[in-house]
Amino acid sequence: GERADSVVRLSSHTDMQCIEITDHSSCIENGPSDGTVPGTSDPVKCERTTYPYGLWATNGIYSDGADDVLLTNVDIHGMAYRSVFILHAGDWTLDNVNMIAAGFVGWDSDGAGDDSYTGTITLTDSRIDWSGCGEVYPITTTDWRSSTDKHHCWSQDQGGFGDGIGLGDGAPGDWTFINTSVSHNVSDGVDLLHGSGTGTIRFTRSIAEGNAGQAFKSSVG
């Protein structure tokens, strides 16, 4: 809490399993409204200037330059800004990883300068949904992956963003999606358009539906 930058910071050769990552606030960082979230006393826009700031954090996971990372049975939901902020990634394997209701973007690699990925990103039985939406705390539903308890979804026209996956400049790496959903995000589902250099995308038995933008945007094969 107290506007923490990230809940978890990962380095190379990390194996993380059976973890839930969230915060205890309904707010969205730099959010679209000065009001409060219905049914709570939380502001829609997170408090950044006056202490106490509240029990919120910007990112679920932050990493820069990590290679050989395995995430298994990891749930990331309700973060104020990003589910994951992963810069200069090598090989990452994600199995049954949920990234739900990040207030600005689900998976982000857009830092300063060259944001190239050098490895293979594989997502199996995973979900990146409802990016660009807040999540009410405490949640009231047993299925927090549904639309219940989502609030103030905001688009780029309102100053938000909302990509499920939004990469920055440089090589995008090689992506494989297996039995995975990238859906109901406020902007695009999978946006690798800004990448340059070599890379591949394979989408197998997976779904990208209900995104307010395009399902896929890519400059790679």
Side-chain angles (χ1 to χ4, degrees):
E2 299 303 343
R3 67 174 195 186
D5 177 74
S6 303
V7 178
V8 176
R9 299 173 72 92
L10 294 182
S11 57
S12 293
H13 315 301
T14 298
D15 181 349
M16 186 169 73
Q17 301 188 38
C18 303
I19 295 289
E20 179 184 14
I21 300 172
T22 188
D23 63 18
H24 287 189
S25 174
S26 309
C27 73
I28 299 171
E29 187 167 4
N30 302 316
S33 170
D34 292 325
T36 58
V37 176
T40 79
S41 60
D42 290 334
V44 174
K45 183 182 296 184
C46 297
E47 175 60 57
R48 288 199 57 87
T49 57
T50 303
Y51 182 87
Y53 308 110
L55 298 177
W56 62 273
T58 296
N59 306 305
I61 292 176
Y62 171 82
S63 178
D64 190 354
D67 181 36
D68 183 28
V69 174
L70 172 63
L71 305 181
T72 307
N73 302 325
V74 175
D75 294 330
I76 310 167
H77 62 100
M79 303 310 303
Y81 199 79
R82 306 176 181 93
S83 289
V84 299
F85 190 22
I86 300 173
L87 304 168
H88 311 114
D91 293 332
W92 283 60
T93 300
L94 294 85
D95 187 2
N96 190 30
V97 176
N98 294 295
M99 307 178 203
I100 309 294
F104 192 76
V105 58
W107 182 308
D108 187 11
S109 80
D110 194 2
D114 188 343
D115 303 310
S116 288
Y117 281 13
T118 58
T120 297
I121 314 295
T122 302
L123 296 95
T124 303
D125 296 320
S126 297
R127 303 180 71 92
I128 306 177
D129 297 345
W130 306 109
S131 303
C133 300
E135 180 184 78
V136 172
Y137 179 84
I139 55 175
T140 65
T141 176
T142 56
D143 182 10
W144 49 264
R145 291 157 295 196
S146 73
S147 60
T148 304
D149 294 328
K150 307 306 182 285
H151 70 88
H152 288 87
C153 302
W154 57 322
S155 69
Q156 294 184 54
D157 290 341
Q158 298 166 301
F161 186 37
D163 277 358
I165 300 174
L167 297 194
D169 300 323
D174 299 312
W175 290 76
T176 298
F177 300 84
I178 303 170
N179 297 332
T180 288
S181 168
V182 187
S183 300
H184 309 297
N185 299 287
V186 179
S187 186
D188 301 314
V190 179
D191 184 355
L192 311 186
L193 184 64
H194 300 286
S196 59
T198 59
T200 59
I201 304 172
R202 296 180 176 88
F203 214 69
T204 304
R205 297 187 305 276
S206 296
I207 189 168
E209 69 173 3
N211 298 292
Q214 296 177 332
F216 301 97
K217 291 168 66 175
S218 174
S219 61
V220 302

